[in-house]
Amino acid sequence: MQPCAKRLLTSPRRERPARRLARPSTVPAVSRRDQIRMTDAELAAFLDEQRTLILATVGRDGWPHLMPLWFTVRDGQPWAWTYARSQKVRNLERDPRATWQVEAGESYEQLRGVMVKARVELHRDLSTVSAFGEELFRRYTGLDPLPDAVLAMIATQAPKRVALRLAAAEPPVTWDHAKLGGTY
C-alpha cells in the first residue's frame, strides 16, 4: 500500500464541531402559495374575462391529450361543448377524469390562472346541448337575442355535439403573481 493511501485509511477521524440548532422564528413564514391564491370573487372575475380553457384528458395510451375549448361558467362549474366523435370525448368515455386550466399573462409578474382536477359529465340530450350552444354563443358574440343565422347554425351543430360539465373533484389551485408586488 502506498504511504499516502495508508495514512488515509489509518488516520483518526476528526470530530466535527456540533451544529448550532436554528432558533424557532417568532414570525411564521408566509407561504408564497397563500400570497398568490385568488379569492372566490377574484376567480369568478378572472374566468368571466377569459375566453379559452385548456382541457387535458387521458388518452388511450396514457398520455395527456390537451385541447382548447370555449366555455361558460354555470353555478361555479365550467361547461363547454365539442364534437361527440372527438378524441377528447372518446377519452372521457373511457375515463371521466380530466384537468382543466385557464391562464393569462405574458411575463412572470402578470401570470394568473386556475387549474382544477375534475370529473367530466357528458350531456348528450339535444335540448341540453342546444340550450348550452345558445348560452355559449351569447357569451362569445355579446348578442342577446342571437340572430336567426346563429340559431340556425347551433340547431345544425347540436346533434353532432355533446355538452361537457367539468365538475371539480378537488378545490382549485389558483395563482395571481401580481399580488407579489414585483418581488419573487
Side-chain angles (χ1 to χ4, degrees):
M1 188 177 293
Q2 295 181 352
C4 184
K6 188 175 182 181
R7 256 193 325 246
L8 285 173
L9 293 174
T10 59
S11 340
R13 292 184 163 224
R14 285 192 238 167
E15 293 295 319
R16 292 186 181 187
R19 292 185 183 187
R20 297 179 76 185
L21 298 175
R23 288 187 217 163
S25 173
T26 56
V27 178
V30 177
S31 161
R32 185 147 308 218
R33 167 75 35 223
D34 290 339
Q35 287 180 303
I36 62 175
R37 184 174 288 120
M38 290 185 201
T39 65
D40 290 344
E42 290 168 336
L43 176 56
F46 174 71
L47 290 174
D48 190 50
E49 65 190 41
Q50 298 305 310
R51 294 292 180 250
T52 306
L53 174 148
I54 304 298
L55 181 67
T57 60
V58 181
R60 185 179 57 230
D61 58 3
W63 288 93
H65 178 80
L66 286 82
M67 294 304 296
L69 295 168
W70 281 2
F71 70 99
T72 65
V73 177
R74 289 179 165 180
D75 300 321
Q77 304 274 316
W79 282 66
W81 79 341
T82 190
Y83 286 105
R85 298 182 71 179
S86 68
Q87 185 62 54
K88 69 184 121 333
V89 169
R90 291 174 191 249
N91 293 343
L92 292 166
E93 288 168 340
R94 272 192 307 278
D95 185 347
R97 294 176 303 156
T99 299
W100 62 267
Q101 178 173 303
V102 177
E103 64 178 344
E106 297 297 320
S107 60
Y108 185 83
E109 67 277 359
Q110 297 172 345
L111 295 178
R112 296 181 304 152
V114 57
M115 182 198 69
V116 178
K117 293 179 182 177
R119 297 214 178 266
V120 180
E121 297 172 7
L122 301 173
H123 293 268
R124 298 176 189 276
D125 175 68
L126 187 56
S127 63
T128 301
V129 175
S130 295
F132 176 73
E134 291 177 19
E135 180 181 340
L136 187 70
F137 278 86
R138 279 193 300 276
R139 177 177 192 227
Y140 284 83
T141 64
L143 302 173
D144 193 11
L146 291 170
D148 290 340
V150 174
L151 292 171
M153 181 274 301
I154 292 169
T156 302
Q157 288 291 313
K160 304 174 196 175
R161 292 185 174 259
V162 295
L164 309 172
R165 177 177 172 258
L166 301 125
E170 295 183 9
V173 175
T174 63
W175 57 94
D176 181 353
H177 288 195
K179 292 182 173 190
L180 294 173
T183 62
Y184 303 107

